[in-house]
Amino acid sequence: MIMETGRSQIKRVLIVHERFPPDFAGGGEYVVLKTAQGLIDRGIDVTVLTTGDPALNEFEGVKTCRLSVSVYSLNLKWQTIVSHAESADLIHCFTYHSILPSWLAGIKLGKPVVCGVLALFGSAWHQMKGPFLGRLFQAMEYALLKLPVSTRIYLSDFSHETAVKKGIDSQSDHVIEPGISLQDYHPAPNKSYVLFSGKFDTRKGVDLIIEAARQLPDIPFRMLVWGNVDSAVKIKLPDNIQLSIMEHRLQLAEILARARIFVFPTKAETFGLVIAEAMASGCAIVSSSKLNFEGIRVDENDQNGIIEAIDTLWHAKNQCRRIGKINNLMAQKYQWDAHINSLIKVYRNITK
């Protein structure tokens, strides 16, 4: 089924992002994948232009064109985007390294450009990259978001509000919350540990979680992390932390199901998919996230507050079970169908 757009039909969309599964660096690649699959399910022809191995031209039903360049070099590939977008009705790019070349290609072709905002870290860059490089990355972030694309798609109200406070014009922008794979996330009968899942970096608050485990030696912790962890760091972990490397999202669902508490003292998120996934898994949440959840909200820098919150909930097993049930119900609103419906309405408006 091809979606009507008023005076035209949306038949083809070119999606541009710096990575695409099986390559991933975070939850953003999952959002791009589900967006592509959702559009295909509606009868729209989708191709994803990305970096990676050129021999891989398909992933889970999505056609891909992969350029053998770094994600940074993608900024220079606007002419390549032009050649792939000539027959497309619009270009849908995502932060960071696909925005500039997609915008230039859109100008060249006279086609609308949608920008999906998957990351907006602001001052958290200073902690991730240091004071000098951090300022450069922060400046680059705002410069890219200020490019006059047709519309931006934010994943949360609080992400949108952050952009507005920084002077990014938002009159033509939209907030569309993402979905999660609700069919994969369910609470297990036995919930037996405190869990963190995400990148092993300071922005996610891993140092605070490790110290919390050290101060609470009788409580079992698990950390399911993306990417490699330095062997020296592994040696320094307290004995009550079980560390695993995440290989696929179903592994996350299996481990979340058995977590009593999900702890996530993040310093910056545009949404925080893993919070919604933990909610669907019936976990009580300890987090600094601005998402609406049941549990204990903490300041991302409050080490003592994080320790106290984990300790309090862990020793209130029945309360955790009740909170988990509420979170599971609250998470049911995160439907990919709803996201795609809203996205297609945006497409219709900008292609009239």
Side-chain angles (χ1 to χ4, degrees), residues 13-210:
V13 173
L14 178 68
I15 291 179
V16 189
H17 187 47
E18 58 205 54
R19 293 184 184 87
F20 191 73
D23 303 327
F24 72 93
E29 284 71 45
Y30 169 74
V31 172
V32 179
L33 172 63
K34 298 304 291 186
T35 298
Q37 290 175 330
L39 294 173
I40 291 168
D41 288 345
R42 305 302 177 88
I44 297 172
D45 183 14
V46 174
T47 297
V48 174
L49 180 63
T50 186
T51 65
D53 183 356
L56 298 176
N57 55 23
E58 184 274 341
F59 183 82
E60 293 188 5
V62 181
K63 293 181 295 184
T64 63
C65 176
R66 300 175 192 261
L67 308 179
S68 184
V69 299
S70 71
V71 296
Y72 298 102
S73 296
L74 186 61
N75 285 281
L76 305 176
K77 297 299 181 179
W78 68 273
Q79 290 178 313
T80 303
I81 297 173
V82 166
S83 66
H84 283 82
E86 285 180 334
S87 61
D89 296 294
L90 60 89
I91 303 168
H92 190 155
C93 62
F94 295 85
T95 52
Y96 288 108
H97 302 295
S98 66
I99 303 175
L100 176 60
S102 295
W103 174 64
L104 292 173
I107 292 174
K108 175 69 175 179
L109 295 170
K111 294 183 183 290
V113 176
V114 176
C115 174
V117 182
L118 298 178
L120 183 54
F121 299 149
S123 60
W125 281 114
H126 301 178
Q127 293 173 302
M128 292 187 286
K129 298 291 184 180
F132 178 71
L133 279 179
R135 287 187 177 89
L136 290 178
F137 273 79
Q138 185 179 5
M140 178 199 72
E141 177 176 79
Y142 291 136
L144 290 174
L145 284 179
K146 286 182 177 180
L147 289 175
V149 295
S150 304
T151 186
R152 300 173 195 84
I153 306 295
Y154 294 92
L155 298 181
S156 64
D157 288 326
F158 55 84
S159 180
H160 181 222
E161 290 166 3
T162 297
V164 171
K165 289 178 182 178
K166 294 300 180 180
I168 297 171
D169 182 16
S170 64
Q171 292 182 359
S172 62
D173 295 344
H174 302 268
V175 175
I176 307 177
E177 290 185 327
I180 59 174
S181 299
L182 286 167
Q183 70 277 9
D184 296 331
Y185 295 96
H186 307 282
N190 181 28
K191 289 182 161 289
S192 55
Y193 46 77
V194 175
L195 176 67
F196 162 83
S197 181
K199 290 183 181 179
F200 200 90
D201 65 27
T202 56
R203 179 172 65 86
K204 301 292 185 178
V206 294
D207 50 337
L208 300 174
I209 296 166
I210 293 170

Side-chain angles (χ1 to χ4, degrees), residues 222-256:
R222 290 198 68 170
M223 300 185 81
L224 179 64
V225 302
W226 299 337
N228 296 322
V229 178
D230 188 274
S231 57
V233 174
K234 293 179 182 179
I235 293 172
K236 294 178 181 178
L237 292 178
D239 293 338
N240 59 327
I241 290 183
Q242 180 182 347
L243 179 70
S244 304
I245 304 300
M246 191 167 84
E247 299 174 357
H248 51 80
R249 296 196 73 84
L250 285 180
Q251 178 190 11
L252 171 62
E254 293 165 3
I255 292 177
L256 271 173

